[in-house]
Amino acid sequence: MSCGCKTSGDSAHSCGPKKTANGCENVNTCGNSYKLSVFDWLSNINNPAPNRCDFVEVRFKNDRKSFYKNVNNIPLHIGSVVTVESSPGHDVGVVSLTGELVKIQMKKKKFSEESALKIYRQANQKDLEVWQEARKKEDSVKLEARKIAQRLGLEMKVTDVEYQGDSSKVTFYYTAENRVDFRQLIKDYAGAFRTKIDMKQIGFRQEAAKVGGIGSCGRELCCSTWLTDFRSVNTNVARYQQLSINPQKLAGQCGKLKCCLNYELDSYLDALSNFPSSSTTLETEKGKAFCIKIDVFKKKMWFAYVDSSMAWYDFDIDLVKKLISKNKRGEKTLPLEDLKQPETSTHTIDLIQENNVDRFEKKNRGNRNRNNSQNKQNNNQQGQHGQPQGQKRNRSERQERPDRSENPNANAQSGNQPRPQKQHSQPKPQVEKAEGNADAGSKPQNNPNKKKFKKKYPPKKDNNA
């Protein structure tokens, strides 16, 4: 049997070494959770025996929970499968909370201790088998119940079906906009399923909490995870937050307005307390101007003329307050065009370039063109100003110059003449060519290096040719 970490009681997961009805002692830290779970932050603290709480919280299918009294002082912890008192017969559930936090939850939900039922025992093997068989029949019973309701022509929707642990009673949860007369329906259900029938009407938000799902934010629904009380949500909440009244975007999975619209409502109301009224009108020299838009975050208000409302002018709320006080004194303000200060244009740079589709291609093209232009400029500079000092000379220049060991007179002659400095007007290659012409008389015409190369590396002959 499961330890009770998952949502359904017949989960195949087990935190303990084996599947038993004792549950898992470390279920708080095993990483699993179920709907509307409560974290026991006092689990590591041992209370004195006289002050120990005798009540435990037991959960059943989906989000149904109740509080029971441990009259027999059975050692229970989170995840223990217990057999509890019910009417009629008995029911099987999983312990979801123990200790002192149970009293806080009972006070929060206004649950009286006198009306609490008692726990019989830990569930034995027979109780678990009957409970498992009853849970397996719920899907087929729900489909059959919907067919019967449709045949009778009732405007209702059977949302969920829950069997009691001993299969002595079945509860049908349904949603309906109007009142439903289900007297004939109960008779048909009793004849079809041969058990006691209990009908329970729930709201559309409770239906979404039972079914579960993923919201537009990408997370699991709040009503099926932690939200227990459903506050009323109206369209004024959307107007305070400057949202467009679009039912498709503001409605949740239940078809009603999203509960998360109330989360930031207090922050918006605090911010709007510093704003002038949205129905403010300004008396200008050009005519009346009314407020057409409000930006809470930028703390600005947009105004337009009553006669021509196509042009909008935005002002800070501090300036608007001054204009309102000026109107109260009976003075008209300047036209909106004169009050509007020119905004300084800010040049934004897209560092990531996410909006550019051809960002990779243009980047490669720019690098190629830049490299080609740089190479051309370097070649032109080398041709005009000569080679740098650390760069090797060309092969033709090295061949034209004689060796110092063969012609020492040339070195002496060249040493007597002062060597010109590098200047832009007298480039270096011209000087080297002049020196080469002066030494041409003492240099043989044939290149000795070229002859040695031919003798040292003769071409190979192919005998198979």
Side-chain angles (χ1 to χ4, degrees):
M1 181 53 205
S2 163
C3 67
C5 301
K6 295 288 185 176
T7 302
S8 59
D10 55 350
S11 173
H13 171 74
S14 178
C15 296
K18 59 181 180 179
K19 295 180 179 180
T20 61
N22 296 330
C24 176
E25 295 181 356
N26 298 324
V27 71
N28 289 332
T29 58
C30 70
N32 297 299
S33 61
Y34 46 86
K35 292 183 179 180
L36 304 178
S37 60
V38 178
F39 181 77
D40 190 4
W41 52 278
L42 295 175
S43 59
N44 297 329
I45 300 175
N46 295 324
N47 295 327
N51 298 331
R52 184 172 298 173
C53 181
D54 296 333
F55 293 91
V56 295
E57 184 186 60
V58 181
R59 68 178 179 89
F60 300 94
K61 185 179 180 181
N62 291 335
D63 58 343
R64 187 171 72 90
K65 293 182 180 181
S66 185
F67 300 97
Y68 294 88
K69 189 173 183 180
N70 188 6
V71 293
N72 298 323
N73 294 327
I74 303 172
L76 299 175
H77 44 74
I78 297 176
S80 300
V81 184
V82 293
T83 302
V84 298
E85 182 183 0
S86 182
S87 177
H90 64 273
D91 201 355
V92 179
V94 182
V95 177
S96 58
L97 189 63
T98 59
E100 295 297 325
L101 290 182
V102 179
K103 292 183 178 179
I104 300 175
Q105 293 294 321
M106 292 174 66
K107 184 178 180 181
K108 178 182 178 181
K109 297 182 179 180
K110 299 179 180 180
F111 189 86
S112 61
E113 297 181 1
E114 290 79 8
S115 61
L117 301 177
K118 59 183 178 180
I119 297 176
Y120 288 148
R121 61 185 180 274
Q122 282 191 349
N124 51 30
Q125 188 65 27
K126 184 178 179 180
D127 297 336
L128 296 177
E129 291 177 358
V130 175
W131 183 39
Q132 297 272 349
E133 292 296 330
R135 294 291 298 273
K136 291 178 181 179
K137 297 187 297 183
E138 290 177 352
D139 293 336
S140 60
V141 170
K142 180 173 62 176
L143 295 177
E144 185 65 24
R146 289 179 178 177
K147 292 179 182 179
I148 295 173
Q150 186 178 4
R151 187 176 66 249
L152 294 176
L154 300 177
E155 296 181 357
M156 58 176 292
K157 177 185 175 183
V158 179
T159 302
D160 197 7
V161 176
E162 181 181 1
Y163 264 94
Q164 197 169 277
D166 57 352
S167 298
S168 61
K169 184 179 70 171
V170 57
T171 304
F172 293 91
Y173 297 94
Y174 70 95
T175 58
E177 295 181 356
N178 301 321
R179 184 179 179 86
V180 180
D181 185 9
F182 48 77
R183 289 177 292 182
Q184 184 62 32
L185 181 66
I186 292 177
K187 293 179 182 180
D188 295 346
Y189 281 174
F193 306 124
R194 299 293 180 180
T195 184
K196 185 178 179 180
I197 306 300
D198 188 10
M199 303 294 295
K200 189 174 182 180
Q201 185 177 3
I202 59 176
F204 293 99
R205 291 182 176 178
Q206 286 81 2
E207 178 188 7
K210 285 182 176 294
V211 175
I214 304 298
S216 59
C217 58
R219 302 182 63 181
E220 194 174 356
L221 298 179
C222 299
C223 55
S224 62
T225 52
W226 61 272
L227 190 62
T228 56
D229 54 339
F230 300 100
R231 295 170 56 188
S232 61
V233 185
N234 50 23
T235 56
N236 291 329
V237 176
R239 291 191 178 94
Y240 285 134
Q241 301 180 30
Q242 310 299 320
L243 299 176
S244 60
I245 308 301
N246 189 352
Q248 296 180 354
K249 293 184 178 180
L250 297 180
Q253 189 170 343
C254 57
K256 306 295 182 181
L257 293 177
K258 294 179 181 179
C259 298
C260 56
L261 293 176
N262 287 329
Y263 297 165
E264 299 179 356
L265 179 60
D266 296 337
S267 300
Y268 275 90
L269 292 177
D270 292 341
L272 289 173
S273 61
N274 297 326
F275 276 74
S277 177
S278 58
S279 60
T280 302
T281 58
L282 299 177
E283 294 289 342
T284 64
E285 297 177 357
K286 195 174 179 179
K288 284 187 178 182
F290 65 98
C291 179
I292 199 169
K293 182 183 174 182
I294 293 176
D295 195 331
V296 180
F297 300 102
K298 293 182 179 180
K299 296 182 178 180
K300 289 186 177 182
M301 299 179 68
W302 274 260
F303 286 87
Y305 291 109
V306 177
D307 299 334
S308 59
S309 60
M310 297 300 294
W312 296 5
Y313 303 93
D314 58 313
F315 305 102
D316 294 336
I317 58 174
D318 296 333
L319 179 59
V320 174
K321 291 179 181 179
K322 294 179 181 178
L323 298 177
I324 293 173
S325 61
K326 190 174 183 180
N327 290 146
K328 288 182 179 180
R329 294 194 299 267
E331 301 176 1
K332 291 185 178 182
T333 63
L334 296 175
L336 300 180
E337 299 86 355
D338 299 338
L339 294 173
K340 177 63 179 175
Q341 296 179 359
E343 296 181 356
T344 58
S345 60
T346 58
H347 180 66
T348 60
I349 300 174
D350 190 5
L351 299 177
I352 304 177
Q353 296 182 355
E354 292 181 350
N355 298 327
N356 191 0
V357 180
D358 301 333
R359 57 186 182 274
F360 299 109
E361 298 179 1
K362 289 184 178 181
K363 185 177 181 181
N364 296 332
R365 291 176 185 173
N367 292 335
R368 291 175 184 175
N369 297 332
R370 194 182 301 110
N371 294 332
N372 294 332
S373 61
Q374 289 180 359
N375 293 332
K376 291 180 180 179
Q377 292 178 1
N378 294 333
N379 295 333
N380 295 331
Q381 292 177 2
Q382 290 178 4
Q384 295 177 1
H385 304 292
Q387 295 179 346
Q389 295 179 359
Q391 191 175 0
K392 295 181 179 180
R393 301 178 185 272
N394 295 330
R395 183 179 296 177
S396 60
E397 296 179 7
R398 285 184 293 169
Q399 293 177 0
E400 291 176 359
R401 294 194 61 181
D403 296 335
R404 294 182 180 180
S405 60
E406 294 179 359
N407 192 359
N409 297 326
N411 294 332
Q413 293 176 4
S414 61
N416 295 332
Q417 296 178 0
R419 190 170 184 177
Q421 295 180 358
K422 293 183 180 180
Q423 295 180 0
H424 294 285
S425 60
Q426 296 178 359
K428 186 175 181 180
Q430 296 177 0
V431 178
E432 291 179 354
K433 289 182 180 179
E435 293 178 358
N437 294 329
D439 300 337
S442 61
K443 175 185 172 184
Q445 295 181 358
N446 296 329
N447 193 353
N449 296 330
K450 190 174 183 180
K451 291 180 181 180
K452 291 180 181 179
F453 177 80
K454 287 183 178 180
K455 293 179 180 180
K456 190 174 180 180
Y457 301 101
K460 294 181 180 181
K461 295 181 179 180
D462 191 0
N463 297 328
N464 297 328

